[in-house]
Amino acid sequence: MNSVSGKNWEEIKINLRLFNKLKTENNLPSIINKLILSRNFDEEEIYNIENNIELINPFLKTKDFEHVFKTLKKNIKNKEKIIIIGDYDVDGLVSTSLFIKFLKILDYPFNFYIPDRLTDGYGASLNLIKKILKKKPKLVVMLDCGSNSRDSVDLLNLNKIDTIIIDHHEVYEPYPVTKNFINPKKKCDYRNYSYFCSSALTYYLIDFYFKKENLTNTFKKNLIYVLLATVCDVMPLRYLNRVLAKSVLQNQKYFSDYVFRKILSISKKKHSLNIEDFAFLIGPIINSTGRIGDPNKAINLLISSDNEVIEKLTNELFFLNEKRKKIEENILKKINFSKSNFKNKDVIFLTLNSIHEGLIGIIASKIKDYFEKPCIIFTESGNNLKGSARSTENFNIGHLIKDGINKNIIKKGGGHNLAAGLLIEKNKLNQLKNFILTSYAKKIKNSFTKEYIAKISLSSINQNFFNDLSLMGPFGSNNQDPVFLIENVKVIKPKIIKNKFLSCILQSRQGKSVFAMSFNFINSEITNYLINYKKEIKILAQIKQNNWNNKKTIQLNILDVAI
């Protein structure tokens, strides 16, 4: 079934024998069993649907963690100067704040440096390390960066300075010369934990330290920040990440945090935290400092225990994010999403020379979400082009950036499965496009097919059905909200909200009505049909629960339209 946005939608197919076997083994609703099979949940994940599992540290016998612990303990015992380098996105900021909180618990002095996106570039660059050498540290801790900073680590080694790297980005050989290197993407005995972000790895390293030293602490309360980083870095909400998400969301009083409460208050939200709040409210506010502001303010907010400081910084970040959203809206208005060259390309490339380079990633993400295709946005950076890539789950953009560097197409870059940054010479843009499009054609057979879990009627959508679906939650990357096909509905009372979203009523032939929202771009074909098409249509949608002023109602989030 083809949609107005150019996608081909098909119902997910499952093995009926396995489906019937699963039904006899549990008392779960049929739709849950279908989701279990389509997502290949293992036995522990199935058990966790109706039961809570204790969140454990899986690295207590891991050599890399042991090496880092010993190096860290040695430097702390000798009262050496430690400098932390973090990335300027949410994962890097949270990782840095966790490490600072750890040092504060030990009453140990801390120094940190978050690179400036424009002057320092990404991560532990050689120029940045030369600056840091002037501060005469004995240990440099690289968080959410450093995996491919071989020259930087060599310079530190030359100056007899220890290096610790805790990272989750794609890494290529030869590795940096340090025994203190935690990254599940390298060749190691814990590669099955590659779904962790750097904040999770940092948390488990700190927990490792406390357990080894038999120190009592309340550091577990910081798991709410680990979940924030996990969601914002679009890590899979599967396995231990799903255990983490369930634990935090089900025990919010234990994990209550003034920063989160203040952000909810400013945003006039009066409900318990959910995954959407992490992804679309709190994350962007924290992330705004790394895009168009000073990321040090985010660190100071995350590590502060002074409510007055938290209130001041939260207000500053909130208004900075509002500024970011207005700039982003103006950029998106100038992009014609109905252009055929977008629809007919497997990977979308766009050069926007007049925008702040801190925004190209979020623009790439918006375009990727709409077209469900990998997208790379470029902007000029001196004699080069700086690019930010966002990809779909079936196409590992991090691996491709690594290959492009090896082939001398890309000057430098790095990332993971779904997101990456890169720098190329201007005259190599076409070469890069051909390289990526060729790679995509080899790996992806049908780039336009999307799947929905089942076809349902509008009358079947109610609170009980939503409660059944919620058993599979929390939903996120690699465990998304299921998509349903709903046929023979008319759109009633479409309304544009804040020139960004569309609300409407969907009505069936039998008279059943359900409130719906569309977060697709206003100038998209989807919005055009929702506003102007007066006949019956087919809707591809997710079922959500709207919590407004503590009143819960069921609504549909429209992803696509077919006629």
Side-chain angles (χ1 to χ4, degrees), residues 458 488-497 502-518 526-537 539 556 558 561:
L458 207 61
N488 305 320
V489 296
K490 284 189 176 182
V491 179
I492 311 295
K493 298 179 181 179
K495 180 182 178 182
I496 300 294
I497 301 173
L502 181 141
S503 70
C504 64
I505 304 294
L506 297 179
Q507 190 174 72
S508 70
R509 292 175 179 176
Q510 293 74 30
K512 171 70 181 288
S513 297
V514 177
F515 177 77
M517 290 288 297
S518 169
I526 296 172
T527 303
N528 178 46
Y529 271 85
L530 290 172
I531 293 174
N532 299 309
Y533 198 76
K534 303 306 179 184
K535 299 179 181 179
E536 288 184 343
I537 59 175
I539 295 291
L556 292 173
I558 299 172
V561 171

Side-chain angles (χ1 to χ4, degrees), residues 345-368:
K345 295 292 185 182
D346 291 336
V347 180
I348 296 170
F349 302 91
L350 196 61
T351 301
L352 302 171
N353 287 330
S354 60
I355 68 171
H356 191 292
E357 65 181 56
L359 295 174
I360 58 177
I362 200 164
I363 300 299
S365 181
K366 295 281 187 181
I367 295 174
K368 183 271 298 182

Side-chain angles (χ1 to χ4, degrees), residues 3-21:
S3 71
V4 300
S5 68
K7 302 182 185 75
N8 178 43
W9 288 88
E10 295 179 356
E11 184 172 352
I12 292 173
K13 296 177 176 61
I14 58 168
N15 185 307
L16 287 178
R17 183 184 62 80
L18 293 177
F19 176 76
N20 291 327
K21 180 175 181 291

Side-chain angles (χ1 to χ4, degrees), residues 412-429:
K412 60 180 179 179
H416 51 78
N417 301 34
L418 300 177
L422 63 153
L423 188 73
I424 65 168
E425 296 173 5
K426 290 180 181 179
N427 60 5
K428 290 190 175 182
L429 180 57

Side-chain angles (χ1 to χ4, degrees), residues 142-189:
M142 302 176 184
L143 301 175
D144 199 36
C145 61
S147 285
N148 299 304
S149 301
R150 295 188 299 273
D151 292 344
S152 296
V153 175
D154 287 345
L155 183 57
L156 291 170
N157 289 337
L158 189 64
N159 286 272
K160 298 181 179 179
I161 298 171
D162 287 333
T163 305
I164 290 175
I165 299 172
I166 304 177
D167 194 12
H168 75 119
H169 290 95
E170 295 293 340
V171 56
Y172 43 93
E173 298 181 275
Y175 301 148
V177 183
T178 174
K179 63 181 179 180
N180 307 306
F181 185 14
I182 293 173
N183 186 336
K185 298 284 180 68
K186 68 176 187 175
K187 293 177 181 177
C188 60
D189 57 354

Side-chain angles (χ1 to χ4, degrees), residues 252-315:
Q252 291 191 29
K253 288 184 178 179
Y254 176 80
F255 293 109
S256 64
D257 183 278
Y258 190 70
V259 173
F260 285 78
R261 295 203 305 273
K262 183 62 182 174
I263 290 176
L264 288 174
S265 174
I266 294 174
S267 306
K268 298 179 181 179
K269 303 287 185 181
K270 297 180 180 180
H271 58 254
S272 298
L273 282 168
N274 56 46
I275 290 295
E276 284 79 9
D277 291 326
F278 288 89
F280 303 116
L281 174 62
I282 300 166
I285 288 173
I286 301 299
N287 217 9
S288 64
T289 61
R291 294 195 182 280
I292 60 172
D294 178 7
N296 291 288
K297 287 188 176 181
I299 295 292
N300 291 328
L301 170 65
L302 297 177
I303 66 174
S304 178
S305 56
D306 185 322
N307 285 355
E308 289 186 8
V309 172
I310 290 173
E311 288 199 23
K312 177 179 179 295
L313 289 173
T314 303
N315 279 299

Side-chain angles (χ1 to χ4, degrees), residues 81-113:
K81 187 172 186 178
I82 300 173
I83 293 183
I84 306 161
I85 301 174
D87 190 17
Y88 36 63
D89 69 355
V90 172
D91 191 21
L93 296 170
V94 168
S95 299
T96 303
S97 68
L98 291 175
F99 210 91
I100 291 171
K101 288 180 179 181
F102 160 67
L103 294 178
K104 288 177 75 173
I105 289 174
L106 300 181
D107 198 25
Y108 199 86
F110 61 88
N111 303 269
F112 70 92
Y113 195 98

